[in-house]
Amino acid sequence: DAKTTQPNSMESNEEEPVHLPCNHSTISGTDYIHWYRQLPSQGPEYVIHGLTSNVNNRMASLAIAEDRKSSTLILHRATLRDAAVYYCILRALGGSEKLVFGKGTKLTVNP
Amino acid sequence: NAGVTQTPKFRILKIGQSMTLQCTQDMNHNYMYWYRQDPGMGLKLIYYSVGAGITDKGEVPNGYNVSRSTTEDFPLRLELAAPSQTSVYFCASSVQGRETQYFGPGTRLLVL
């Protein structure tokens, strides 16, 4: 599985947008970019995923660079409930079933 | 739907004891997984199953066993508990192997 690089931690203020970066310079053409998050003392939960085009859902937006070597998870208005560890994960189409978790980015949201 | 449920929530074991961590899902998912998460780290896959009667090893299977007799249940067995197995254990399920995984709330295990 190709590797991803994320900052260890980020801070944001409540009701402000948050941009969580992820670098994946060795991404292959069939790798999907997935984001999961883990709230304190809970299991991970799916946030969003994409291949090439930007994606939006009710939780977040995913902006993918044109060369696909980086992506950004965007929370449009952070709330205190968004404080979590965010994981950027590559999954190959036709590849392994497992999710490979790195250490992720710990997001702190200040009131 | 309850989703993925795990029992117990917390357990303390003595070295050498055995126990079974229970995992049940009510979403009729074919795939089920067991992960462990050590403090400050990401999750690592222990075992997974692609359907009843079929299991396979993940990254860190040593010291664990699994079985999958039904679609709903995927228990994880620790035969001889060791301090290195102190961790939080998460069960997950998905419709197919490369679809979204849904996680349970976790079981915190302390081996002393």
Side-chain angles (χ1 to χ4, degrees):
Chain A
D1 296 302
K3 187 176 178 179
T4 63
T5 303
Q6 299 177 253
N8 290 334
S9 62
M10 290 185 65
E11 264 190 66
S12 173
N13 295 321
E14 202 174 6
E15 298 190 3
E16 291 184 356
V18 181
H19 291 233
L20 296 162
C22 181
N23 287 323
H24 28 77
S25 57
T26 59
I27 192 170
S28 74
T30 57
D31 284 340
Y32 281 78
I33 303 159
H34 288 247
W35 285 82
Y36 281 73
R37 72 179 185 180
Q38 187 173 19
L39 303 173
S41 301
Q42 294 189 29
E45 64 175 348
Y46 167 80
V47 177
I48 200 166
H49 78 279
L51 183 63
T52 56
S53 303
N54 294 344
V55 184
N56 300 296
N57 67 21
R58 63 175 180 82
M59 289 181 70
S61 296
L62 177 61
I64 302 172
E66 197 169 332
D67 63 6
R68 299 207 330 121
K69 294 186 176 182
S70 65
S71 60
T72 302
L73 180 71
I74 302 166
L75 307 179
H76 294 286
R77 289 185 65 196
T79 69
L80 297 178
R81 293 185 68 248
D82 290 322
V85 178
Y86 287 79
Y87 298 98
C88 171
I89 300 168
L90 301 183
R91 301 192 78 184
L93 182 67
S96 153
E97 291 83 0
K98 67 182 182 185
L99 290 173
V100 179
F101 287 83
K103 293 187 178 181
T105 297
K106 183 175 182 179
L107 175 66
T108 300
V109 180
N110 299 314
Chain B
N1 285 351
V4 179
T5 57
Q6 293 183 238
T7 57
K9 290 184 178 179
F10 176 65
R11 181 79 181 267
I12 298 174
L13 279 183
K14 294 182 179 178
I15 294 171
Q17 286 185 321
S18 62
M19 78 165 291
T20 299
L21 283 68
Q22 301 292 344
C23 175
T24 300
Q25 55 91 9
D26 63 359
M27 297 175 282
N28 201 32
H29 285 173
N30 292 317
Y31 284 65
M32 295 186 75
Y33 313 81
W34 274 107
Y35 292 87
R36 60 175 284 174
Q37 184 175 34
D38 298 331
M41 306 296 287
L43 284 72
K44 292 187 177 180
L45 184 67
I46 305 172
Y47 271 97
Y48 69 99
S49 168
V50 303
I54 307 170
T55 63
D56 207 348
K57 296 178 180 178
E59 296 176 77
V60 289
N62 292 342
Y64 306 95
N65 281 302
V66 293
S67 59
R68 183 99 180 268
S69 57
T70 67
T71 299
E72 295 79 19
D73 300 306
F74 190 40
L76 178 71
R77 179 85 177 160
L78 282 72
E79 290 294 349
L80 291 170
S84 61
Q85 293 177 307
T86 292
S87 192
V88 181
Y89 292 83
F90 292 100
C91 179
S93 71
S94 63
V95 174
Q96 294 295 339
R98 296 169 196 93
E99 299 295 324
T100 299
Q101 292 188 15
Y102 296 86
F103 286 80
T107 293
R108 185 175 299 274
L109 177 65
L110 180 60
V111 181
L112 300 174

